[in-house]
């Protein structure tokens, strides 16, 4: 086990997950609302050029990658970017890395070995384990996350997965699951938005296998996804109902819940503003 577990990162209880980078102005508002971090998905490029503008526009907000894809972002370049950002904004950037999906990556091969090789390269380049996390769903990569990084960033999971992950990795490992939300009491419309977001992942074996491990049936994980599956991975309803669902991850052992607002950029800040109170956040004046 790494000796950096005492340095488990503190990114606040709730963060925001975006597909692609928000603007600096959006980042400033997210910070003002009381969220602790922004996780930027979409396999960002190795130069991580989006990070500094977000940190420059804020004072305490942290930025994380959710995730850098090891097949498209060479470790040496990512390490250079990490050190550049860390030098300018100490302890405000967290490097999330992962292997992506075999169905979407032509280079995909021996993913576990490729991931360990990537971590070796980051070690050689001086990227500390305390400032990196792994995308992890299954037991093997969750254990690797506990051994070679500060923790894990599971995506498209449930509080039940969070509980099992926490039991597996122990109390000192950082755990930040992602959860999608639709602020709407129209269940049919919310599920439609959920299916639009989740449909791609129903074709990816690592997610489908993880859902099966959680007890979902073949019928649940067959496109377009059952109501049971969509309701499990996409919280919808009132702000209070969504906050209660997200809080289940914390009760199950998460250190932070990363919230992905569905429906496009136009919904991002209005939804986050309405959730802030029920989530117990304190907006800045």
């Amino acid at each position: 086990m790494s000796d950096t577990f005492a340095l488990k990162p503190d990114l606040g209880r709730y963060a925001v997950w975006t597909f692609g980078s928000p603007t600096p102005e959006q980042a400033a508002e997210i910070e003002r609302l009381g969220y602790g971090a922004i996780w930027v998905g979409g396999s960002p490029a190795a130069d991580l050029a989006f990070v500094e503008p977000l940190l420059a526009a804020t004072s305490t907000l942290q930025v994380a990658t959710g995730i850098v894809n090891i097949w498209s972002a060479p470790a040496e370049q990512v390490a250079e970017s990490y050190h550049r950002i860390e030098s300018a904004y100490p302890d405000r950037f967290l490097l999330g890395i992962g292997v992506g999906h075999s169905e979407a990556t032509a280079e995909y091969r021996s993913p576990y070995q490729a991931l360990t090789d990537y971590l070796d390269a980051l070690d050689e380049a001086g990227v500390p384990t305390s400032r990196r996390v792994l995308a992890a769903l299954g037991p093997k990569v969750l254990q690797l996350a506990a051994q070679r990084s500060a923790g894990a960033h599971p995506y498209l999971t449930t509080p039940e997965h969070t509980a099992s992950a926490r039991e597996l990795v122990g109390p000192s490992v950082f755990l930040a699951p992602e959860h999608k939300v639709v602020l709407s009491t129209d269940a049919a419309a919310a599920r439609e938005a959920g299916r639009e977001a989740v449909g791609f992942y129903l074709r990816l074996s690592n997610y489908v296998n993880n859902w099966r491990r959680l007890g979902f049936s073949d019928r649940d994980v067959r496109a377009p996804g059952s109501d049971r599956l969509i309701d499990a991975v996409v919280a919808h309803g009132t702000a209070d109902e969504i906050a209660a669902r997200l809080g289940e991850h914390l009760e199950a052992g998460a250190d932070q819940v990363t919230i992905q607002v569905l429906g496009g950029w136009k919904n991002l800040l209005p939804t986050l503003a309405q959730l802030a109170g029920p989530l117990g956040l304190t907006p800045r004046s």
Side-chain angles (χ1 to χ4, degrees):
M1 292 279 179
S2 167
D3 61 1
T4 60
F5 285 165
L7 302 177
K8 182 195 289 192
D10 181 5
L11 279 71
R13 292 181 305 156
Y14 292 102
V16 177
W17 197 102
T18 61
F19 196 90
S21 177
T23 66
E25 293 76 17
Q26 289 170 323
E29 180 61 11
I30 288 168
E31 178 182 66
R32 190 195 69 78
L33 289 170
Y35 295 90
I38 294 172
W39 292 72
V40 176
S43 298
D47 63 12
L48 302 177
F50 69 90
V51 176
E52 283 102 334
L54 301 183
L55 296 177
T58 56
S59 58
T60 61
L61 189 78
Q62 299 195 47
V63 174
T65 52
I67 46 99
V68 166
N69 189 312
I70 68 169
W71 308 108
S72 59
E76 294 77 9
Q77 294 179 30
V78 168
E80 290 176 3
S81 299
Y82 169 83
H83 288 301
R84 184 193 76 233
I85 296 164
E86 178 65 17
S87 177
Y89 299 96
D91 299 324
R92 292 184 60 198
F93 175 65
L94 186 68
L95 177 63
I97 63 175
V99 297
H101 321 293
S102 59
E103 295 88 345
T105 305
E107 301 89 344
Y108 205 89
R109 66 188 186 285
S110 304
Y112 187 86
Q113 184 60 53
L115 185 55
T116 59
D117 291 346
Y118 198 95
L119 292 170
D120 290 343
L122 293 181
D123 287 344
E124 292 177 7
V127 177
T129 56
S130 60
R131 298 306 297 178
R132 69 194 195 204
V133 296
L134 302 186
L137 292 175
K140 190 174 182 180
V141 181
L142 282 168
Q143 290 172 335
L144 182 65
Q147 295 163 358
R148 301 289 305 272
S149 77
H153 175 48
Y155 188 83
L156 260 178
T157 61
T158 65
E160 291 76 18
H161 180 273
T162 297
S164 63
R166 175 55 71 201
E167 183 176 0
L168 178 68
V169 302
S172 58
V173 176
F174 181 70
L175 191 58
E178 175 268 356
H179 206 104
K180 294 171 174 52
V181 306
V182 178
L183 185 58
S184 173
T185 57
D186 183 338
R191 287 171 181 145
E192 182 179 354
R195 286 190 170 92
E196 183 176 346
V198 174
F200 170 74
Y201 301 93
L202 292 168
R203 304 193 298 270
L204 303 179
S205 58
N206 54 341
Y207 288 101
V208 170
N209 291 338
N210 187 59
W211 289 325
R212 287 184 174 130
R213 284 193 295 267
L214 290 170
F216 291 98
S217 68
D218 289 345
R219 182 176 180 180
D220 288 323
V221 300
R222 187 181 305 125
S226 70
D227 286 355
R228 177 179 176 235
L229 176 66
I230 298 303
D231 289 349
V233 297
V234 180
H236 55 86
T238 67
D240 287 334
E241 289 169 337
I242 290 173
R245 177 60 171 168
L246 299 176
E248 291 178 19
H249 282 283
L250 298 179
E251 295 168 4
D255 295 292
Q256 180 182 70
V257 184
T258 70
I259 304 165
Q260 182 177 175
V261 177
L262 300 185
W265 292 106
K266 68 181 186 303
N267 288 338
L268 178 66
L269 294 179
T271 298
L272 295 175
Q274 291 190 58
L275 288 176
L279 292 174
L281 304 181
T282 304
R284 300 181 180 184
S285 57

